[in-house]
Amino acid sequence: MYTLPKIDRFNQEVLSKYHIYNSVFITLPFDSIDNTGVLLPLFTEVCDKGFKKQETPKEIVNFFDKKYLHSVSEEEKIDLMFRFIQYIERQIVLFDAIEDAAFPIVNNIEGIGSLRDIKEKSDVENNKEELIECLENFNVRTVLTAHPTQFYPGAVLGIINDLTDAIRKNDLLEIKQLLAQLGKTPFIQNEKPNPFDEAVSLIWYLENVFYETSGEMVHYLQKNLLNGETIKNQLIKLGFWPGGDRDGNPFVTTEITLKVSDRLRTSILKCYYIEMRNLKRKLTFSGVDVLVAELENKLYRSVFYSKGDIFISLDEFKSQLLKIKTIIVKEHQSLYLEEIEALLIKVNLFGFHFASLDIRQNSKIHDAVFKDVFEYYKATESNVFPENYYDLTESEKFEVLSNVKGNLDSSAFENELTKSTIESIQVIKKIQKSNGEFGANRYIISNNESALNVMETFALFHLNNWDNLTVDIIPLFESVNDLQNAHVIMEKLYSNKAYSDHLKNRNNKQTIMLGFSDGTKDGGYLMANWSIYKAKEQLTTMSRKYGIHAIFFDGRGGPPARGGGKTHKFYASLGPKIENSEIQVTVQGQTISSNFGTLDSCRYNLENLLSAGITNQVFSKDKNELSKDDSAILDQLAQLGYEKYLSFKNHPKFIPYLEQMSTLKYYAKTNIGSRPSKRSNSENLNFADLRAIPFVGSWSQLKQNVPGFFGVGTALKHFEDTNQWDKVQDLYNGSLFFKTLLENSMMSLAKSFFPLTAYMSKDPEFGAFWQIIYDEFLETKRLLLKIAGHKGLMENYPDGKASIDIRERIVLPLLTIQQYALLRINELIKEPTPNLELIKTFEKIVTRSLFGNTNASRNSA
């Protein structure tokens, strides 16, 4: 049967259904949104026409009021705005659910990038043994983070899940009921969640999506590639940050960390218990039934009657399952063997830990803590440190740090940060005892600037009476300077005997984290991405020189500006000069729900990541290597983009523009995450302390998406102006890395909408600054279309572009309302006697519209 093109499948399965179900939603009788369903389409039309006529958001709102509302008070206008926001929030949910339901139809989940595709390629190229060897040594680790960009409360996530199922079944009655439920369910959390609440929300995805999907993927490979043999390698690993990420989050305490680790263990044991309960109904034959009942009982007690007690060990659980498997094969004709093998795969993947809880802290905090520890030993007249420690050279400090030992007691310190940092090291040991080593065995140092940052952290573990260290210490390099210096820092560590001995105990593997988000914030789009690529090459060379296997952990956000976009293409584009035996990547916010929220989307995206790494190693291992000339062009492009971005970032209006004209300060007012919106408590906005999410998100709310394109146009124009265009054109045609880089930038442009803020061009203070942004946008768009040979943005991803267009259409009224509210706030502030209550009301409108705009984008922060 002929398969329709992807865009036709999208129009049929998503667009058509959205129009049908939205019309049902409009007719539902809600007291709270009376008449909204009739007025909202009219307002959307007024917004659309108004922006085409270059009207301001204020003019658009006033025109709508005059034409359709007839002499209403400001209070009534505000009430309608809130009702529009409520309604649009629910339209976004409806569209999410329809897109999720259509995912396996719109996307060919058995096509390119799937496990089936890998197997068929292997059959054609007759390299099955090479593929199996790769699978025995390759890993994908997705790390769910606590970053607050998921704005849906738990109740709404539940409705999305049920609505997706109902749409998939075309059950109109159930859809109507769920839409009615959606209309009456609050979208706003009254209180900020604490880190444990965040952890519980994300564990839902582990239990309901990753558990099944990961097991099925490995099971498929064992059956179809290894002839039923067990893959000894832990092919898919899960990481977890809520409850362990302390960087800038004072609400992550030792108690929270332990609660989260307990919840992770209980959750995986519950998953095993449910499977054993189902197996008990099938494995009813002699010699097996008693063993199954015993396992079920022990798991039940460990989950439901335990106060931290476990009534079965991981080794016992595995050995009993293997015993059951042996009896089934020998005595019962392998009846239900597949079910036992599927459970064994999951036990091998998830152990009793489910996901590894990473601990993270900032190097600046470590500096202060280490000084406190030094002063403590100095006061006790201990000989742990020489009194002149801080006067020593770096190499002399290394010598001291290589040999320190101690047994610190956190209660001996008054400073809370020192206490909590010491406890965070001690708590890893506790978690390893209860959940196994994989429960928590990674300590990440964010904002790592030197080898000393790593060695002092390494010493802190030994000062906590931990000799045979079963923890990987992971430096996170974020700024452009740190990325460029990373290989020098790592060589100092590799050449230190104590640290080298530690790595020998860790199988000569060193995980190194690289931060896309802060790299982009610091150096702009081109420089950040190219700096990370070059850092990986240099770190690979340096690590191989010392016999160390480098593993790269990428701190990526949702949008292209934070390393998101077509992520799997970046991994497929890495050449042989970059170590690529593991793909480790953070997943956060709406990207968790949009890319891994359903069994289909999770399978599709995990298989794409797995396929990207395998393709690089097995099928195209020498195809993606950049030549010296290619690297020279990328160096030049990155430098040109960096200079343009740096001059923009250093513009005197840069910070004032973000503070006064964007939604930046409103992120702090949202009850969406436990983390503060900036790392310091200072009143003044310090760019260095600003977190990447509110920074990138604020540009997204303005529909300007600066971090995803600024400097790209200027860099490309240089090659056009100097008659060297063929160089960048050949690079685009020949390099998957460069092509993916520019395609992701196109996505940032496609999600921009400058008519929304065009009124700022006439602002006496910020008009010239707005024009700088718009000019760079136009130049970038022109040149990206030229290099791609396209007439429109994302022309080669018509379904993705169609999805963006519909989402942007849905939120157009929200964006207009938000800008109107920001304008009114600025007007009210300038009045001789500002109406503080009215200002608060408009601030609430800005915050509420921020939620919907972010949810609609699915990867905007």
Side-chain angles (χ1 to χ4, degrees):
M1 184 180 170
Y2 172 70
T3 304
L4 291 170
K6 202 170 183 183
I7 183 62
D8 292 339
R9 299 199 302 271
F10 177 87
N11 288 336
Q12 189 173 296
E13 296 295 324
V14 179
L15 185 57
S16 297
K17 286 187 177 180
Y18 174 71
H19 289 316
I20 292 166
Y21 296 136
N22 189 44
S23 65
V24 172
F25 188 42
I26 284 171
T27 61
L28 291 173
F30 298 126
D31 295 334
S32 60
I33 49 176
D34 175 49
N35 211 29
T36 310
V38 176
L39 289 171
L40 183 57
L42 298 173
F43 182 54
T44 302
E45 197 64 32
V46 168
C47 292
D48 191 38
K49 287 180 179 176
F51 286 123
K52 283 174 182 169
K53 291 190 286 185
Q54 298 182 326
E55 292 175 352
T56 70
K58 189 177 177 185
E59 287 169 341
I60 289 168
V61 170
N62 288 340
F63 174 79
F64 175 79
D65 293 346
K66 189 176 177 182
K67 185 171 181 179
Y68 294 107
L69 300 184
H70 313 297
S71 304
V72 296
S73 66
E74 184 157 46
E75 189 179 339
E76 289 171 308
K77 283 202 297 190
I78 287 169
D79 181 58
L80 182 62
M81 285 181 199
F82 276 116
R83 284 191 275 135
F84 279 164
I85 291 168
Q86 283 180 290
Y87 200 92
I88 294 164
E89 284 173 333
R90 287 151 179 80
Q91 283 183 312
I92 293 161
V93 167
L94 174 60
F95 190 78
D96 283 349
I98 292 168
E99 227 176 14
D100 287 345
F103 191 92
I105 300 169
V106 175
N107 300 278
N108 182 6
I109 59 176
E110 300 290 353
I112 294 170
S114 68
L115 295 185
R116 175 175 286 185
D117 178 50
I118 291 170
K119 183 192 177 298
E120 289 174 355
K121 274 184 187 170
S122 175
D123 292 341
V124 169
E125 298 189 20
N126 196 27
N127 59 357
K128 185 178 175 182
E129 287 184 11
E130 190 180 356
L131 176 58
I132 290 171
E133 185 185 351
C134 175
L135 289 171
E136 289 289 6
N137 295 283
F138 183 75
N139 302 110
V140 168
R141 183 192 291 254
T142 51
V143 181
L144 307 189
T145 77
H147 297 309
T149 54
Q150 175 55 268
F151 290 76
Y152 294 137
V156 175
L157 286 171
I159 295 171
I160 295 175
N161 195 51
D162 295 342
L163 190 55
T164 301
D165 288 340
I167 290 166
R168 201 173 276 136
K169 294 182 289 187
N170 278 320
D171 187 335
L172 188 57
L173 181 61
E174 189 180 357
I175 289 166
K176 282 186 77 171
Q177 283 184 321
L178 287 164
L179 288 174
Q181 182 187 351
L182 192 65
K184 293 177 177 291
T185 301
F187 269 50
I188 304 302
Q189 301 178 112
N190 292 325
E191 295 179 4
K192 273 183 179 284
N194 62 44
F196 183 70
D197 298 328
E198 292 172 328
V200 170
S201 295
L202 292 190
I203 287 170
W204 184 93
Y205 292 99
L206 298 182
E207 291 178 347
N208 293 281
V209 185
F210 283 94
Y211 179 77
E212 286 297 330
T213 305
S214 305
E216 285 174 5
M217 285 171 61
V218 176
H219 202 185
Y220 175 88
L221 291 169
Q222 286 189 180
K223 280 175 64 179
N224 295 284
L225 270 173
L226 280 81
N227 301 320
E229 292 294 314
T230 301
I231 295 177
K232 298 174 183 67
N233 173 40
Q234 196 183 351
L235 193 63
I236 297 167
K237 300 176 180 178
L238 301 178
F240 207 73
W241 276 17
D245 181 9
R246 293 167 178 258
D247 180 14
N249 193 342
F251 308 111
V252 176
T253 62
T254 305
E255 183 189 3
I256 289 283
T257 304
L258 283 170
K259 273 183 75 177
V260 171
S261 70
D262 287 348
R263 183 61 174 255
L264 284 164
R265 186 186 64 248
T266 303
S267 294
I268 191 60
L269 290 174
K270 186 172 73 174
C271 291
Y272 296 153
Y273 164 70
I274 291 167
E275 290 222 41
M276 287 308 303
R277 190 178 64 185
N278 292 333
L279 279 169
K280 189 179 176 184
R281 297 186 61 164
K282 296 177 179 179
L283 303 178
T284 53
F285 18 91
S286 176
V288 174
D289 54 347
V290 175
L291 293 174
V292 172
E294 186 183 343
L295 281 182
E296 185 218 22
N297 180 258
K298 286 183 176 181
L299 287 168
Y300 180 83
R301 288 166 66 203
S302 298
V303 173
F304 298 106
Y305 281 101
S306 166
K307 290 183 180 178
D309 298 323
I310 303 297
F311 296 93
I312 184 170
S313 70
L314 180 59
D315 287 340
E316 182 189 351
F317 188 32
K318 281 184 183 177
S319 65
Q320 289 289 78
L321 286 174
L322 288 168
K323 190 175 179 182
I324 291 167
K325 178 183 173 181
T326 302
I327 296 170
I328 285 170
V329 172
K330 284 186 177 179
E331 301 177 20
H332 301 290
Q333 294 76 49
S334 298
L335 197 57
Y336 297 121
L337 177 63
E338 279 216 357
E339 283 88 338
I340 286 289
E341 286 181 337
L343 179 54
L344 271 166
I345 286 167
K346 288 166 187 165
V347 174
N348 286 330
L349 286 175
F350 306 124
F352 276 10
H353 65 280
F354 213 159
S356 296
L357 187 61
D358 290 349
I359 308 297
R360 184 173 77 136
Q361 186 53 282
N362 197 292
S363 66
K364 298 286 189 288
I365 300 298
H366 282 169
D367 289 345
V369 167
F370 203 82
K371 280 178 184 168
D372 211 2
V373 170
F374 168 77
E375 292 297 335
Y376 164 77
Y377 279 117
K378 187 178 173 184
T380 56
E381 298 183 356
S382 162
N383 60 357
V384 171
F385 290 101
E387 285 197 16
N388 65 337
Y389 173 78
Y390 280 100
D391 297 323
L392 300 177
T393 64
E394 185 180 65
S395 59
E396 288 170 338
K397 285 178 180 175
F398 271 34
E399 185 62 32
V400 173
L401 297 169
S402 298
N403 298 297
V404 294
K405 286 189 177 182
N407 192 5
L408 286 171
D409 180 357
S410 61
S411 64
F413 295 88
E414 291 182 12
N415 186 290
E416 284 301 320
L417 275 173
T418 304
K419 276 185 181 180
S420 65
T421 303
I422 291 168
E423 287 172 359
S424 72
I425 289 170
Q426 294 168 348
V427 83
I428 295 174
K429 205 180 258 190
K430 283 186 182 177
I431 293 169
Q432 289 192 358
K433 281 182 182 175
S434 59
N435 294 17
E437 185 189 314
F438 293 123
N441 66 344
R442 289 151 49 104
Y443 194 102
I444 300 160
I445 310 164
S446 53
N447 195 34
N448 196 97
E449 296 176 328
S450 68
L452 195 60
N453 288 154
V454 178
M455 283 304 293
E456 288 186 343
T457 305
F458 178 65
L460 279 175
F461 276 87
H462 289 288
L463 290 170
N464 275 276
N465 195 26
W466 203 334
D467 291 331
N468 298 316
L469 191 54
T470 51
V471 176
D472 296 321
I473 298 172
I474 304 173
L476 165 52
F477 300 106
E478 300 177 86
S479 72
V480 170
N481 285 338
D482 292 340
L483 287 165
Q484 291 172 347
N485 197 39
H487 65 293
V488 177
I489 290 171
M490 295 314 299
E491 182 169 30
K492 289 178 182 178
L493 295 169
Y494 295 155
S495 55
N496 175 266
K497 186 180 184 308
Y499 195 80
S500 176
D501 288 345
H502 162 66
L503 289 180
K504 281 176 189 169
N505 291 332
R506 305 301 292 162
N507 298 315
N508 278 326
K509 290 183 178 181
Q510 172 67 57
T511 303
I512 303 163
M513 190 172 179
L514 306 160
F516 280 80
S517 303
D518 284 289
T520 306
K521 182 168 78 80
D522 179 51
Y525 183 72
L526 287 174
M527 180 58 86
N529 281 276
W530 181 231
S531 293
I532 287 169
Y533 189 97
K534 284 205 301 182
K536 285 183 177 182
E537 282 192 334
Q538 292 168 329
L539 286 163
T540 299
T541 301
M542 187 60 69
S543 299
R544 287 173 180 172
K545 175 184 169 183
Y546 285 88
I548 304 298
H549 186 84
I551 298 165
F552 297 117
F553 177 20
D554 291 325
R556 295 178 180 268
R562 300 187 60 221
K566 303 287 180 185
T567 306
H568 62 279
K569 281 197 168 187
F570 270 117
Y571 291 114
S573 73
L574 301 178
K577 292 180 182 175
I578 292 177
E579 209 71 77
N580 194 30
S581 64
E582 284 199 32
I583 288 176
Q584 297 193 11
V585 58
T586 55
V587 191
Q588 58 202 33
Q590 329 94 299
T591 314
I592 297 172
S593 54
S594 61
N595 288 3
F596 301 95
T598 67
L599 292 169
D600 291 323
S601 63
C602 183
R603 176 189 158 193
Y604 179 83
N605 285 293
L606 272 183
E607 288 192 10
N608 266 276
L609 282 174
L610 193 63
S611 171
I614 290 169
T615 297
N616 207 308
Q617 289 190 46
V618 179
F619 300 114
S620 62
K621 50 192 170 185
D622 297 318
K623 291 180 184 176
N624 293 313
E625 187 170 358
L626 293 169
S627 68
K628 282 187 178 179
D629 287 344
D630 293 337
S631 294
I633 294 165
L634 281 160
D635 274 336
Q636 199 174 355
L637 284 164
Q639 188 60 37
L640 289 163
Y642 181 55
E643 287 167 7
K644 178 69 174 178
Y645 179 76
L646 215 57
S647 68
F648 175 66
K649 193 175 78 171
N650 293 333
H651 193 287
K653 294 300 176 189
F654 185 88
I655 294 294
Y657 182 80
L658 279 174
E659 283 187 304
Q660 295 176 46
M661 306 302 279
S662 83
T663 58
L664 182 65
K665 62 186 177 186
Y666 295 93
Y667 277 83
K669 299 176 188 291
T670 60
N671 285 335
I672 54 165
S674 64
R675 293 168 16 135
S677 59
K678 54 194 178 89
R679 285 184 169 92
S680 77
N681 295 321
S682 63
E683 285 296 317
N684 295 327
L685 179 61
N686 183 326
F687 185 79
D689 288 332
L690 185 60
R691 289 191 179 278
I693 286 172
F695 176 72
V696 174
S698 296
W699 291 113
S700 174
Q701 295 287 318
L702 285 168
K703 305 312 289 180
Q704 293 176 356
N705 289 326
V706 160
F709 74 82
F710 201 90
V712 175
T714 294
L716 290 172
K717 191 173 188 300
H718 170 82
F719 282 80
E720 185 184 56
D721 289 346
T722 55
N723 297 315
Q724 300 180 79
W725 184 257
D726 58 321
K727 290 183 178 179
V728 288
Q729 188 67 63
D730 290 346
L731 183 61
Y732 179 85
N733 294 336
S735 165
L736 181 60
F737 168 76
F738 187 54
K739 187 176 184 181
T740 304
L741 190 66
L742 296 193
E743 281 186 349
N744 277 349
S745 189
M746 283 189 213
M747 187 190 291
S748 292
L749 296 179
K751 290 186 174 186
S752 298
F753 183 63
F754 276 84
L756 178 72
T757 56
Y759 71 90
M760 294 182 188
S761 64
K762 295 171 186 172
D763 187 273
E765 185 178 356
F766 297 109
F769 186 78
W770 183 92
Q771 196 64 46
I772 291 170
I773 301 168
Y774 186 50
D775 288 346
E776 184 67 13
F777 167 82
L778 291 175
E779 198 69 325
T780 304
K781 182 180 178 181
R782 178 181 73 82
L783 291 168
L784 287 182
L785 291 177
K786 178 179 177 178
I787 204 167
H790 293 167
K791 290 180 181 177
L793 294 168
M794 295 182 68
E795 195 175 287
N796 52 335
Y797 297 106
D799 58 308
K801 181 65 167 63
S803 176
I804 288 171
D805 288 345
I806 296 164
R807 290 176 178 278
E808 295 299 314
R809 173 80 176 176
I810 293 170
V811 297
L812 186 63
L814 263 189
L815 295 166
T816 310
I817 288 168
Q818 185 181 81
Q819 284 298 315
Y820 173 80
L822 287 167
L823 281 162
R824 289 289 289 125
I825 290 165
N826 285 336
E827 284 176 354
L828 290 164
I829 287 170
K830 290 171 186 173
E831 288 182 357
T833 311
N835 184 333
L836 298 180
E837 282 304 310
L838 196 54
I839 289 171
K840 277 185 185 176
T841 301
F842 279 115
E843 285 180 339
K844 192 176 177 185
I845 286 175
V846 173
T847 307
R848 285 290 305 278
S849 56
L850 186 150
F851 297 167
N853 291 335
T854 304
N855 285 331
S857 297
R858 281 207 152 183
N859 71 349
S860 66

